[in-house]
Amino acid sequence: MFATNLQFYYKDFPSKTKSPIQIRLGLHKGTYEIKDNDVQGATINEAARYAGVAKSGEIVISNEFYDGLKRVFRQDECEQLVSETRKADLKGVGEKE
């Protein structure tokens, strides 16, 4: 997946501090709009909230995103992609699992 490849790329990316760069990612599925070369909408805001609860080097996905994965991958493949589930209190969204 793109998100995992992005993390591996930045893990070995040289930085000024000589420390590996660790990124947090939040993925959500829904509608959005493009305005003035900017992606906008509640879906984008919610994805940012998921990134906000991610730990360094972690990818956090919403249930909606996971449901989309299940349409593309077999159940056993989805289970290999997701290491754990947890509830998160997302600012402006409320508690989500």
Side-chain angles (χ1 to χ4, degrees), residues 5 10 12 15 21 23 25 30 32-34 39 43-44 47 54 57 64-65 76-77 80 83 95:
N5 289 339
Y10 278 106
D12 297 326
S15 70
I21 297 172
I23 57 175
L25 295 169
Y32 61 92
E33 62 181 55
I34 299 175
V39 183
T43 298
I44 306 307
E64 292 85 353
F65 190 88
D76 62 318
E77 293 173 320
Q80 290 176 359
S83 61
E95 187 174 88

Side-chain angles (χ1 to χ4, degrees), residues 16-83:
K16 292 179 182 178
T17 63
K18 305 296 183 211
S19 300
I21 297 172
Q22 293 191 342
I23 57 175
R24 307 177 299 165
L25 295 169
L27 303 175
H28 183 55
K29 180 180 177 288
T31 60
Y32 61 92
E33 62 181 55
I34 299 175
K35 183 177 180 181
D36 299 326
N37 286 332
D38 189 27
V39 183
Q40 303 175 352
T43 298
I44 306 307
N45 295 335
E46 194 163 331
R49 301 294 187 233
Y50 282 102
V53 298
K55 298 172 189 157
S56 182
E58 185 177 45
I59 302 167
V60 175
I61 65 173
S62 68
N63 282 332
E64 292 85 353
F65 190 88
Y66 186 69
D67 288 343
L69 287 178
K70 291 190 293 189
R71 291 188 191 110
V72 177
F73 297 100
R74 294 188 323 261
Q75 182 65 33
D76 62 318
E77 293 173 320
C78 288
E79 290 169 1
Q80 290 176 359
L81 293 171
V82 177
S83 61

